[in-house]
Amino acid sequence: MGISYKIKSYCRIKDNKIMLNNTVVFENKEQEFLTFIKSAYKALDSKYPKFFKMDRLSKLAFLAADVLLKNEALDTDKENNIAVILSNNASSLDTDRKHQKAIQNKEDYFPSPAVFVYTLPNICIGEISIKYKLFSENSFFIFESLNAEHLSLYSNNLLQNNKAEQVLCGWVELDGENYDAYLYLVSPNGEIEHTKNNIEKLYNI
């Protein structure tokens, strides 16, 4: 009989609210996304100065991961064997538009390298990995919507083949003022079975 993996903890950022294991840890209803995410970063004491240089998708993914991993009390002075598997629908479109606007401006042509570097969605994984020293497997997938079956199969396979001790995975979507992050940590330990149904159930709370 195979090992049964669990959803150890989960985080959701949506509608100006951040929840950890279904408990609200930050909320501010009267702000647009960028103001909201910066105020949440300060309130949650995330302590990663590069946060302010990230694009909006990376800010969203980073803060969701930070809320989850800070709760795990990881030793960030040493490597943590945690894989990262993320997904969304809009890819890096939010930043792609900003870059496109810069290169289309013939009168003031000045594409910024600081913007261009974020024209791939998986850059957000790099930001998370740098802070928490996650040097295991990582992938970023584009799906129409949350693909719980794929996330379940892929992360379980990594754990079964000893590619990682835990897997941080989920959905991180941002396009304009629409944003939705749902990250969870898969581990041999925990109380919630890591199944397609439970992934979808927690997402739809």
Side-chain angles (χ1 to χ4, degrees):
M1 188 174 177
I3 298 173
S4 174
Y5 297 107
K6 315 288 185 183
I7 297 174
K8 191 176 182 183
S9 58
Y10 54 98
C11 176
R12 189 76 185 270
I13 302 180
K14 187 178 181 184
D15 298 333
N16 290 36
K17 186 187 297 182
I18 300 178
M19 302 184 75
L20 175 64
N21 301 326
N22 210 28
T23 298
V24 176
V25 295
F26 180 81
E27 184 173 19
N28 192 330
K29 294 181 178 178
E30 303 299 326
Q31 298 174 337
E32 62 180 13
F33 171 76
L34 201 53
T35 306
F36 163 74
I37 204 75
K38 287 180 179 177
S39 62
Y41 168 87
K42 293 175 182 174
L44 297 171
D45 198 24
S46 288
K47 294 180 180 175
Y48 189 67
K50 198 182 173 188
F51 177 84
F52 295 99
K53 296 181 179 179
M54 297 178 194
D55 74 338
R56 293 160 20 111
L57 175 64
S58 292
K59 282 184 171 71
L60 178 63
F62 176 86
L63 199 60
D66 195 56
V67 169
L68 259 184
L69 297 178
K70 196 159 51 181
N71 189 52
E72 295 297 313
L74 299 176
D75 183 353
T76 55
D77 289 329
K78 67 178 186 180
E79 182 177 343
N80 291 290
N81 191 8
I82 300 175
V84 185
I85 310 300
L86 301 183
S87 58
N88 75 4
N89 174 261
S91 185
S92 56
L93 190 59
D94 191 71
T95 298
D96 295 350
R97 288 195 190 102
K98 190 174 181 180
H99 181 64
Q100 179 69 22
K101 189 176 179 181
I103 62 177
Q104 279 184 325
N105 189 342
K106 303 299 182 188
E107 296 178 355
D108 188 23
Y109 182 84
F110 189 70
S112 168
V115 173
F116 177 74
V117 73
Y118 288 103
T119 56
L120 288 171
N122 61 334
I123 300 301
C124 66
I125 294 177
E127 302 288 7
I128 298 165
S129 298
I130 290 169
K131 177 170 182 181
Y132 285 97
K133 291 184 171 59
L134 312 182
F135 302 129
S136 185
E137 300 273 336
N138 67 76
S139 296
F140 198 111
F141 295 95
I142 307 300
F143 295 119
E144 187 70 26
S145 58
L146 176 72
N147 189 332
E149 183 172 12
H150 181 86
L151 292 175
S152 173
L153 291 173
Y154 199 100
S155 54
N156 285 351
N157 184 267
L158 289 175
L159 294 167
Q160 286 163 359
N161 289 286
N162 298 314
K163 298 293 186 183
E165 294 174 356
Q166 300 184 91
V167 182
L168 173 67
C169 54
W171 178 259
V172 56
E173 173 80 348
L174 186 140
D175 191 4
E177 284 301 308
N178 298 315
Y179 62 91
D180 181 9
Y182 165 58
L183 301 189
Y184 60 91
L185 190 63
V186 187
S187 166
N189 306 308
E191 296 181 355
I192 305 170
E193 290 288 336
H194 184 226
T195 64
K196 174 180 179 292
N197 286 343
N198 283 337
I199 294 168
E200 292 175 342
K201 181 179 177 182
L202 294 177
Y203 179 69
N204 290 318
I205 287 177

